[in-house]
Amino acid sequence: MKNKKWFAFIFLTIFTLVLSGCNFNSSDKKEDDGKKEDKGKDGKTEEVAQVLKLSASAEIPTLDSTKAHDGVAFNVLNNTNEGLYRQDENNAPILALAEKHEQSDDKITHTFTLKETTWSNGDPVTAADFEYAWKRVMKEAGAYNYMLVTAGIKNAEAIMDETMDAEELGIKATGDYTLEVTLESPNPLFETLLAFPTFLPQNQKFVEELGDQYSLEADKVLSNGPFKIVSWTHEQGWKLEKNEDYWDADNVKLDAVEVVVVKEPSAGANLYETGKIDRTVLTSALVDQFSSDDDFKIVKESDIIFLRFNHNHPVLGNMEIRRAINMAIDREGLTDVILKDGSTPLYGVVAEGYYLSPEQKDYRELNGDINKGTPEEAKALWEKTLKELGEDEVTVSINIADSESMKKVAEYLQAQLEDNLPGFKLDIKAVPFAQRLEIEKAVTYDISLSSWGPDYSDPMTYLDMWLTGGSANRMDYDNPKLNALVAEARGETDLSKRFEMLLGIEKILLEEDAAIAPLYQTGTAILMQDKIKGLVKHPSGAEFSYQWAYIEE
């Protein structure tokens, strides 16, 4: 622990007064609950509190699984609720609330037998809870209703297109604990997708009694997972406690998880140094200060940062111009000198280190680096193509979120492109994050500095976003060949053949079209106490699973 500065002491004093409103220490348990015996260094028995203390970057917007669309909500939902499947310690889908999963010979009809479990109010969790929740996703047109289409559930796409009613979704409770799901066609992603929070069940009576107040407070939401939310002070934090009625409670080691909202990284570092949280994320500005700390760690992430091009632009609509821009950017300088947070250069759209072929080869290794070139090659291609277009110079703007890190990235790109491509001028337009997304959706930009995090553990989560007219396309990119290959891969049940198709989709996007410019795969610099064991961080879907975590002294 470093020497405490006076400003850290003052900050902690103020923060402690604020934190008292979160009731993090309130419980009906005796004072010695939440502690386990362990042997100290001197051989004497000491008590270890099984309480994990974390921070979150923002408030929980909602705990309604049919409407949740952000990482903060997904984390809470993943740990307080449970669906048919969940991700295990190795990020693979495993049976959770489902005791048995059977499928017809044609892999169209899937029958799930549920464990007999209860909600936190004592009501049984039944097959009807799944039918109600999934149909409600479609009725409410939630942000992730397309996940039911991706899963291939019968009639989901027609319901999204408003040619069918949500009641016609291919899901039916055939008994209290028997659920039947019908697909449009066999889908190799089905089990993987079922671990996503959008597929959680809901108690219809509870939801409808609360109406528009459902899920907005700790006492207005039910749990059926490893933990339950017991307090929630908006904009300050929340507390989860172990759910003793959870079917696998004997294997849940933590007694509580306390989360505080910390919006400023420097504040998070101060809280960490004073022992108020066990893990915090550092920005590049803080890396140098803490890189020699014993608790400093770099975590490889699966999110990607890239440039979208407006394909309607008179110059950027040219594939060779986009390829030249790809080749002109020194990504190693960006990640190693500017970011310094464990981010790594990326020359593809699918992240490295997470997605293996059936033969256990990494996707990124198999497809290699695409559009990687030298400044000299970039300049030659740029000048040749610009001349063919009848242009001497080009001025374009880049649309970015107004965060410190994105401004640094944009300034680096500006210097690289203006230095390496004669006649190129880049203007930076920083706007709030939400506004950046709206500008992208309207395709009223030249270049947009974008990010993408995977929804599920398969390369397709990075690849089908480029379908013509897709909600994630946001640049008017259109290639019928790519559309056809995505459709073919979605129905291919031979996993080796399917993986070859997935490799081919990226080659169309980048080798043939240079449709975007991948920049880097994100990394995260963190401080984390060594006593935290078994905290599982997932590359897709909800970020953390707490149920295998414990505190060791």
Side-chain angles (χ1 to χ4, degrees), residues 299-326:
V299 179
K300 189 179 185 69
E301 306 285 2
S302 54
D303 291 10
I304 65 169
I305 307 296
F306 61 96
L307 297 179
R308 293 178 196 268
F309 299 102
N310 183 341
H311 283 239
N312 301 315
H313 191 278
V315 176
L316 299 174
N318 183 282
M319 176 267 294
E320 296 295 4
I321 289 290
R322 297 193 299 269
R323 195 183 308 279
I325 292 173
N326 263 274

Side-chain angles (χ1 to χ4, degrees), residues 248-436:
D248 197 28
D250 289 346
N251 290 315
V252 177
K253 300 173 184 177
L254 290 175
D255 288 314
V257 180
E258 298 175 355
V259 183
V260 295
V261 176
V262 181
K263 297 183 179 181
E264 292 296 329
S266 59
N270 288 334
L271 288 173
Y272 184 86
E273 286 200 291
T274 50
K276 294 300 179 183
I277 55 176
D278 299 322
R279 184 186 190 274
T280 191
V281 174
L282 303 173
T283 61
S284 57
L286 293 168
V287 167
D288 289 340
Q289 179 182 348
F290 290 98
S291 59
S292 61
D293 195 295
D294 290 341
D295 293 343
F296 179 83
K297 298 174 179 65
I298 291 291
V299 179
K300 189 179 185 69
E301 306 285 2
S302 54
D303 291 10
I304 65 169
I305 307 296
F306 61 96
L307 297 179
R308 293 178 196 268
F309 299 102
N310 183 341
H311 283 239
N312 301 315
H313 191 278
V315 176
L316 299 174
N318 183 282
M319 176 267 294
E320 296 295 4
I321 289 290
R322 297 193 299 269
R323 195 183 308 279
I325 292 173
N326 263 274
M327 292 164 40
I329 301 167
D330 175 11
R331 291 157 175 80
E332 284 77 6
L334 174 58
T335 58
D336 298 347
V337 179
I338 304 301
L339 297 172
K340 300 182 292 184
D341 59 0
S343 296
T344 53
L346 184 64
Y347 296 90
V349 72
V350 176
E352 176 189 28
Y354 292 104
Y355 308 99
L356 303 180
S357 71
E359 294 73 36
Q360 299 303 297
K361 294 288 187 181
D362 186 86
Y363 184 103
R364 191 72 273 126
E365 178 185 345
L366 290 171
N367 251 10
D369 293 339
I370 303 175
N371 292 327
K372 184 177 183 180
T374 65
E376 293 75 21
E377 291 171 326
K379 179 183 177 183
L381 180 59
W382 169 263
E383 291 181 327
K384 172 180 176 293
T385 309
L386 209 59
K387 184 177 180 180
E388 292 172 354
L389 294 173
E391 302 285 351
D392 295 322
E393 58 183 37
V394 178
T395 298
V396 298
S397 62
I398 184 168
N399 173 44
I400 72 167
D402 61 351
S403 67
E404 174 191 343
S405 59
M406 289 299 99
K407 288 177 182 176
K408 286 184 177 181
V409 171
E411 289 167 358
Y412 178 86
L413 295 173
Q414 183 184 53
Q416 285 279 296
L417 296 173
E418 292 184 355
D419 288 348
N420 294 330
L421 303 177
F424 190 100
K425 180 172 175 55
L426 185 66
D427 295 330
I428 299 172
K429 293 185 177 179
V431 297
F433 177 78
Q435 186 178 343
R436 179 184 71 77

Side-chain angles (χ1 to χ4, degrees), residues 63-101:
L63 287 178
D64 184 343
S65 59
T66 68
K67 298 177 180 179
H69 59 87
D70 66 287
V72 176
F74 287 160
N75 263 336
V76 180
L77 286 167
N78 180 58
N79 289 286
T80 59
N81 285 268
E82 186 155 88
L84 301 170
Y85 277 80
R86 70 161 53 248
Q87 292 189 79
D88 69 5
E89 298 96 324
N90 299 309
N91 311 309
I94 55 170
L95 287 171
L97 202 61
E99 190 170 62
K100 186 166 57 174
H101 175 190

Side-chain angles (χ1 to χ4, degrees), residues 535-547:
L535 178 61
V536 175
K537 190 175 188 302
H538 301 295
S540 60
E543 185 176 14
F544 291 109
S545 285
Y546 306 143
Q547 69 186 92

